[in-house]
Amino acid sequence: MLHDHSTLIAQFRKALTQQRYNPVVVDNYCRNADYFRRYLAEQKIALEAVTPTEVSNYLRLAVRQFRKRNGRAPARSWVSIPRSGIHGLLRLALKRWPPEPATSDAGELLCREVYDQYQTWLREERGLAVASIDALMWEARYLCAWYIGRSDTPSFKDLGIRDLDSYIEMRAPGLRRKSLKDVAERLRSLMRHLHRTGRTAADLAPQIMAPMLYAYESIPSTLSSDQIATVLKSARKDRSPMGLRDYAILQLLSAYGLRVGEITHLRLDDID
């Protein structure tokens, strides 16, 4: 795919502006991206053929030119400016940057195929913002690598809700309920994609439960997390029917955020 270089730089500037980059940063990134484009033209290297080695070679040349112009070496952090501009341009033009290393592992190849299709779907069909796509892709990479790494075969055919429960349990430590809710929503998006592409027999998205959030819930609770843990530990010791009931109620209150009215109206028919 050939690119009109002036148009590409203009598109890059527009993309950075839409992402609300500081105007000074936009100018710096675009200027360095254009310098790199000219370097490629002088070296007769097509944009599609660029590798990390070419970028490194150019950055070393840029440092030498800076030293020649200013009579001193640039600060260590200086090189991050041209590097960021170049990487941003390449991500815009090539869609995948940096390129992933070659692999013959069937599971890794499957994951990469899923990543490519998922990212295209998010960008071209759903039209999501770059930041939203990045967050969804991060969760997709994490989930796919985790599942394929523990699966006997490189396939998502046997992926089930128990696997997703285990994944969320693995992700939960250290996350607040708001963050867990975000994880659940990102997983629902990925599950819809896996089902629509025929990689899972059933759409698992509706089965993924997220913590309920309420207005003003960030207001501190009367009990600290340590105190809540102490109450749960004490209730757990009572193995009588009433004790088991109390422990279940406390779990619903502390872990899932249900309110008193919701718990008192809970029936067996409500549990799927």
Side-chain angles (χ1 to χ4, degrees):
M1 178 180 177
L2 298 177
H3 298 278
D4 181 296
H5 292 149
S6 60
T7 301
L8 184 59
I9 296 298
Q11 291 175 345
F12 185 40
R13 179 178 295 277
K14 181 180 179 181
L16 293 173
T17 303
Q18 289 176 339
Q19 295 172 47
R20 298 184 179 179
Y21 277 78
N22 183 287
V24 175
V25 174
V26 173
D27 288 340
N28 284 333
Y29 281 10
C30 290
R31 183 172 63 255
N32 282 284
D34 194 42
Y35 289 160
F36 180 65
R37 176 194 63 78
R38 296 179 189 180
Y39 166 81
L40 293 178
E42 292 172 359
Q43 300 296 316
K44 295 181 171 56
I45 300 174
L47 195 63
E48 292 78 11
V50 171
T51 67
T53 300
E54 270 85 38
V55 176
S56 298
N57 290 341
Y58 170 77
L59 291 174
R60 283 193 290 269
L61 173 63
V63 169
R64 291 197 299 270
Q65 290 175 336
F66 182 100
R67 186 184 292 113
K68 185 177 180 179
R69 287 194 307 270
N70 299 279
R72 60 178 177 81
R76 286 187 177 183
S77 60
W78 176 85
V79 77
S80 66
I81 298 174
R83 180 190 294 118
S84 296
I86 292 167
H87 284 192
L89 179 74
L90 292 172
R91 281 194 295 270
L92 175 66
L94 306 180
K95 307 306 179 188
R96 175 180 290 280
W97 183 267
E100 296 184 0
T103 181
S104 58
D105 181 77
E108 179 64 23
L109 291 173
L110 171 64
C111 288
R112 290 186 184 182
E113 184 178 348
V114 169
Y115 304 154
D116 289 341
Q117 294 175 347
Y118 187 43
Q119 188 171 47
T120 299
W121 180 59
L122 294 173
R123 182 181 61 248
E124 298 182 4
E125 297 189 36
R126 295 189 60 190
L128 299 183
V130 173
S132 298
I133 293 175
D134 287 346
L136 289 163
M137 290 302 301
W138 187 92
E139 200 70 57
R141 290 189 175 93
Y142 204 171
L143 180 280
C144 289
W146 174 85
Y147 178 72
I148 293 299
R150 67 203 295 266
S151 179
D152 294 331
T153 58
S155 170
F156 292 96
K157 290 293 185 183
D158 295 328
L159 178 65
I161 192 62
R162 289 187 178 181
D163 298 304
L164 297 178
D165 286 343
S166 296
Y167 174 79
I168 293 176
E169 183 178 353
M170 179 272 295
R171 292 275 280 116
L175 295 182
R176 301 181 66 177
R177 290 196 308 123
K178 172 63 170 67
S179 298
L180 272 178
K181 185 174 186 294
D182 292 341
V183 170
E185 290 176 348
R186 293 193 290 265
L187 288 179
R188 290 190 190 114
S189 174
L190 178 61
M191 291 306 108
R192 284 191 290 269
H193 171 71
L194 290 178
H195 179 58
R196 64 179 287 275
T197 54
R199 298 189 185 278
T200 58
D203 182 5
L204 300 175
Q207 301 181 49
I208 299 175
M209 296 294 104
M212 294 183 65
L213 302 180
Y214 300 100
Y216 311 114
E217 70 167 38
S218 60
I219 297 174
S221 171
T222 302
L223 298 179
S224 68
S225 58
D226 290 338
Q227 291 171 323
I228 293 173
T230 300
V231 172
L232 290 170
K233 184 177 181 180
S234 176
R236 187 62 169 162
K237 294 178 181 179
D238 186 353
R239 308 302 295 176
S240 69
M242 185 176 294
L244 294 176
R245 182 207 63 183
D246 291 345
Y247 183 74
I249 291 174
L250 290 170
Q251 283 280 23
L252 291 172
L253 289 168
S254 63
Y256 294 98
L258 268 66
R259 296 186 174 187
V260 173
E262 293 171 322
I263 293 175
T264 56
H265 290 90
L266 191 64
R267 297 293 180 266
L268 287 176
D269 291 342
D270 297 325
I271 301 175
D272 184 350

